[in-house]
Amino acid sequence: MIVIGGPTASGKTSLAIALAQQLGTEIISVDSRQFYTEMRIGNARPSEEELAAVKHHFIADRSIHNPLSAGQFGEEASTLAEQLFKQYDYLVCVGGSGLFINALCEGLDQFPVVTDTARERVLKIWTSAGRSGLQEALAELDPNYYAQVDQQNPRRLMRALEVCYSANAPYSSFLGQKPGRPWKNIFLRTHPERSQLYERINLRVDHMIEQGLEAEAKGLQAHQQLPVMNTVGYQEWWPYFRGEYDKAQAISLIQRNSRRYAKRQVTWFGRGNKYQVVSHVEECLREIEAVEE
């Protein structure tokens, strides 16, 4: 499995297509928003020409009303990959959603089902005591995980507490239980200079506006409460539609938030030297050869 990761607007799509053509194989998309039919412009879905150049999977294959979690994606995509590996020696997967890449390539840690009672208990803590209450509860129940979790992220704290209460066991006791995959993974990433990346992002947003992003977002306004709509490129339009600021500010916020998202992606893909930096097909092929040797 040849993984092409990297930040938004860094050239992943074109590189993945060129590599898949060179290897004579297919592409599995690992972009957590390109799954959805209704979202085309704002999530920079590959063009019809790009999709026709190489067969893609998990592109616009479901509705925003049928969301796909990382765990569900891992199950569906790994089943598909095992079928495709009967036909191909290599597959290419491409995207900027690191958690979804891990779900496909390595599997995710296996956790118990969260009970309604546990969910209600954690929600009560959040409602009555806020983030500090979540922090205190997790520090008591699972000090090991508390020491490594982002303590400022209430969603992560709540998730860990839900598991603790559901299983009557520390959240950390379920870490490291990934199922593994029956294929070898080769992790590559695009990594342009930051100034170049930010320029690409700004130009991409301008192009999205020309393509009709505002109208696309307007058509999805009624569904803004859905979690999948909490996405850069869409969420900035809701206050604009309510008259809270003008169009120029909406566009500026999309560009700013896209740059911030790209910065987080760069950090994710740069951790631990897991991903080797590449910029063209020849470098990808050399990395593949080096791993096989």
Side-chain angles (χ1 to χ4, degrees), residues 195-213:
S195 59
Q196 183 184 30
L197 177 62
Y198 285 0
E199 182 180 0
R200 287 183 181 180
I201 289 171
N202 291 339
L203 291 174
R204 171 181 278 187
V205 173
D206 289 340
H207 182 56
M208 289 176 174
I209 300 302
E210 294 172 359
Q211 288 182 305
L213 177 58

Side-chain angles (χ1 to χ4, degrees), residues 29-35 43 58-59 73 94-97 100:
S29 174
V30 195
D31 185 299
S32 64
R33 292 301 183 261
Q34 290 183 359
F35 301 144
N43 63 13
F58 291 96
I59 293 282
F73 170 76
V94 59
S97 304
F100 282 71

Side-chain angles (χ1 to χ4, degrees), residues 100-169:
F100 282 71
I101 291 175
N102 289 351
L104 166 60
C105 295
E106 301 170 340
L108 300 179
D109 291 313
Q110 305 298 299
F111 292 97
V113 175
V114 172
T115 65
D116 291 338
T117 301
R119 190 174 288 110
E120 292 169 3
R121 185 175 180 180
V122 173
L123 183 60
K124 186 176 181 179
I125 296 174
W126 169 244
T127 303
S128 62
R131 185 170 56 196
S132 63
L134 298 174
Q135 292 169 341
E136 291 176 8
L138 185 60
E140 180 179 351
L141 291 172
D142 191 350
N144 290 332
Y145 185 67
Y146 178 74
Q148 59 181 285
V149 70
D150 179 359
Q151 298 172 11
Q152 304 307 310
N153 188 326
R155 292 181 63 183
R156 291 187 182 275
L157 297 171
M158 293 175 76
R159 167 62 178 164
L161 284 172
E162 288 172 350
V163 171
C164 290
Y165 290 134
S166 297
N168 195 27

